């Protein structure tokens, strides 16, 4: 006989408690416990009965397990296929998260409309079919095989899947769905776990690929229990600044491919456009004879591209100097400023320093350290860096230039875009600089790099 009881569940991590507590002991968040009604069956009797039942499946040796090579589904989106590892795998669950208004629904709808002859069922719990039609008209794409329905009941959605028999299912979003077997509100830990589990069973039994759109919380993580990310096969993060045009699609988890790939998109009035060569778009080429600009050969994921680093150093107008960084870690900027003052002898303690990575993207590659300090020094002494020079190198606390990974790809990208010289760390192993058309200069300390740039 089923038993009904109330428990308090943390909406951030899913930890259960018999009573309400102010702070979760598991994740440390405050005021996240919500009361939910849970129905539990007599598990002891059920497990005893199952012990004597005949199991249909049986264990087998791993060497005897047959491998069925399922062909991947081409999404007709070059950047999305790159991040997925070559396309969608039948029966996989793909979770796409991102900030409100960043373009998650636009990205998924474009994919659903361009996927070709596949029958797509687009389930929306946030928008009406009329709103989806308006977005489809705005991106100037239509498909005869894309069916839309506005529904939040999990039981009714399963009925639509059975009647339509789609080749691809899109759910926007998983936080809006609710199951009648749970008495909690939509978006709660229990509802997300139950609805995702139902979709997972359908996907694995019928080889139906599913794309789930998920919300994020104020900390930037995917809303709901952490078990949501464990249940799905692929977790994609769509990020960028809504005030800029560029968006980056990162793979956080991928059971069918690498998590090192990224996809770059440009947000236009008619939807998202794939950016196959980001270097040409991230370089302005209008900074001749302007100080405070340096070009760096960075790598995001597996893709090399050149980015423009801009710095502005001015006399502090107030008592406390300001430090501001856009697209770069502010704590690392403070560290580099301390290295410049301690190791290179440049007094910046009483000056404002502003740093910006052009294009509105965020870069975590430490190889842009050399370009950052070069741009800061260029603005401080008001001497421009040659627009034909790019650089790649990590700056250590003692002022040394440390080697970086995949230097060959960085040099090749700089050579392809017509740069005449690239400055790289001196102690790079296994590098043959004679085979490149570009002049490769190796330095070991900041002083050597500054002599080359500002002599």
């Amino acid at each position: 006989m089923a038993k009904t009881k109330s428990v308090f569940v943390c909406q951030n991590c899913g930890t259960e408690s018999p009573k309400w507590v102010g702070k979760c002991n598991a994740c440390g968040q405050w005021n996240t416990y919500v009361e939910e009604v849970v129905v539990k069956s007599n598990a002891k009797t059920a497990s005893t009965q199952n012990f004597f039942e005949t199991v249909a499946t049986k264990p087998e040796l791993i060497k005897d397990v047959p491998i069925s090579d399922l062909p991947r589904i081409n999404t007709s989106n070059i950047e999305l296929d790159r991040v997925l590892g070559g396309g969608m795998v039948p029966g996989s669950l793909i979770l796409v998260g991102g900030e409100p208004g960043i373009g998650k629904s636009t990205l998924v709808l474009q994919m659903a409309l361009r996927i070709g002859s596949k029958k797509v069922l687009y389930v929306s719990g946030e928008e009406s079919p009329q709103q989806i039609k308006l977005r489809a008209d705005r991106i100037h794409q239509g498909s005869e095989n894309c069916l839309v329905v506005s529904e939040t009941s999990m039981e009714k959605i399963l009925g639509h899947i059975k009647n339509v028999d789609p080749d691809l299912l899109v759910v926007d979003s998983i936080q809006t769905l609710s199951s009648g077997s749970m008495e909690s509100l939509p978006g709660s830990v229990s509802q997300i776990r139950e609805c995702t589990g139902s979709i997972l069973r359908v996907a694995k039994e019928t080889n139906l690929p599913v794309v789930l759109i998920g919300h994020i919380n104020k900390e930037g993580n995917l809303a709901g229990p952490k078990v949501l990310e464990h249940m799905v096969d692929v977790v994609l993060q769509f990020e960028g600044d809504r005030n800029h045009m560029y968006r980056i699609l990162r793979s956080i988890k991928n059971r069918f491919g690498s998590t090192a790939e990224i996809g770059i998109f440009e947000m236009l009035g008619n939807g998202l456009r794939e950016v196959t060569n980001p270097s040409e778009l991230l370089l302005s080429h209008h900074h001749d004879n302007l100080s405070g600009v340096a070009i760096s050969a960075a790598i995001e994921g597996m893709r090399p591209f050149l980015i423009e680093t801009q710095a502005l150093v001015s006399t502090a107008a107030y008592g406390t100097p300001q430090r501001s960084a856009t697209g770069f870690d502010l704590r690392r900027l403070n560290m580099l400023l301390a290295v410049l003052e301690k190791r290179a002898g440049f007094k910046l303690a009483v000056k404002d320093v502003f740093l910006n990575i052009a294009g509105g993207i965020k870069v975590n590659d430490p190889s842009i350290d050399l370009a950052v300090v070069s741009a800061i020094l260029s603005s401080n002494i008001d001497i421009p860096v040659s627009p034909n020079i790019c650089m790649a190198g990590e700056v250590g606390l003692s002022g040394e230039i440390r080697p970086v990974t995949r230097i060959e790809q960085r040099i090749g990208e700089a050579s392809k875009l017509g740069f005449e010289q690239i400055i790289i760390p001196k102690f790079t192993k296994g590098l043959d600089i004679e085979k490149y058309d570009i002049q490769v200069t190796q330095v070991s300390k900041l002083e050597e790099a500054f002599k080359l740039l500002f002599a």
Side-chain angles (χ1 to χ4, degrees), residues 116-155:
S117 59
K118 303 292 183 180
K119 185 190 299 184
V120 181
L121 177 59
Y122 192 104
V123 179
S124 177
E126 301 177 343
E127 297 176 306
S128 64
Q130 291 78 15
Q131 291 175 301
I132 301 174
K133 177 65 165 59
L134 289 175
R135 180 184 290 116
D137 292 340
R138 177 172 60 85
I139 60 181
H140 303 296
Q141 292 178 355
S143 173
E144 298 179 355
N145 298 315
C146 184
L147 306 174
V148 297
V149 62
S150 181
E151 187 58 70
T152 58
S153 172
M154 192 65 239
E155 289 75 18

Side-chain angles (χ1 to χ4, degrees), residues 186-443:
S188 64
V189 172
S190 302
Q191 288 287 5
I192 294 177
R193 187 191 299 124
E194 178 67 21
C195 295
T196 306
S198 300
I199 296 175
L200 177 64
R201 286 190 292 270
V202 173
K204 299 305 180 184
E205 291 174 0
T206 62
N207 276 339
L208 173 66
V210 181
V211 178
L212 305 176
I213 297 179
H215 298 165
I216 64 171
N217 53 28
K218 59 183 179 182
E219 287 82 17
N221 302 319
L222 283 164
K226 200 67 177 178
V227 70
L228 173 63
E229 299 180 43
H230 289 291
M231 293 174 69
V232 300
D233 299 306
V234 182
V235 180
L236 304 180
Q237 187 79 13
F238 203 41
E239 59 187 41
D241 190 345
R242 285 182 293 177
N243 298 320
H244 291 80
M245 63 183 71
Y246 298 112
R247 306 286 189 269
I248 293 181
L249 185 67
R250 299 183 187 271
S251 176
I252 301 176
K253 170 188 176 182
N254 192 350
R255 290 174 177 164
F256 310 110
S258 172
T259 57
E261 289 287 358
I262 67 167
I264 302 179
F265 298 86
E266 183 182 10
M267 177 62 79
L268 303 175
N270 57 352
L272 291 162
R273 183 181 71 86
E274 303 104 290
V275 179
T276 56
N277 189 2
S279 298
E280 295 181 354
L281 295 177
L282 296 176
L283 300 179
S284 64
H285 301 291
H286 300 299
H287 54 80
D288 294 349
N289 299 322
L290 295 178
S291 61
V293 178
I295 308 300
S296 176
I299 284 186
E300 280 292 308
M302 299 294 292
R303 303 179 65 180
F305 56 90
L306 304 185
I307 58 175
E308 183 177 303
T309 305
Q310 303 172 345
L312 177 63
V313 179
S314 62
T315 304
Y318 305 99
T320 304
Q322 300 182 65
R323 301 286 187 263
S324 176
T326 303
F328 190 75
D329 188 6
L330 182 59
R331 292 174 296 182
R332 191 164 188 86
L333 172 62
N334 291 327
M335 184 202 76
L336 295 176
L337 292 176
V339 172
L340 277 177
E341 184 154 349
K342 181 71 175 180
R343 303 300 181 185
F346 296 99
K347 304 301 180 181
L348 301 172
V350 295
K351 295 187 178 182
D352 294 336
V353 179
F354 304 95
L355 183 69
N356 177 51
I357 303 299
I361 66 173
K362 183 176 178 60
V363 181
N364 299 317
D365 189 359
S367 67
I368 71 170
D369 287 352
L370 184 56
V372 169
V373 296
S374 299
I376 292 173
L377 182 58
S378 172
S379 177
N380 185 45
I381 62 180
D382 201 21
I383 297 178
V385 177
S386 173
N388 297 320
I389 298 178
C390 67
M391 57 201 76
E394 179 183 356
V395 177
L397 291 180
S398 60
E400 80 278 13
I401 309 299
R402 300 176 59 85
V404 295
T405 60
R406 296 199 288 273
I407 192 66
E408 295 86 357
Q409 292 179 264
R410 304 173 194 267
I411 298 175
E413 184 73 8
S415 177
K416 183 176 66 175
L417 291 177
F419 282 83
E420 299 175 359
Q421 184 180 8
I422 181 171
I423 302 175
I424 64 171
K426 184 175 183 180
F427 302 103
T428 303
K429 298 181 180 180
L431 179 65
D432 183 14
I433 62 177
E434 301 296 334
K435 66 179 181 179
Y436 298 103
D437 297 333
I438 188 175
Q439 179 184 350
V440 180
T441 305
Q442 296 178 296
V443 295

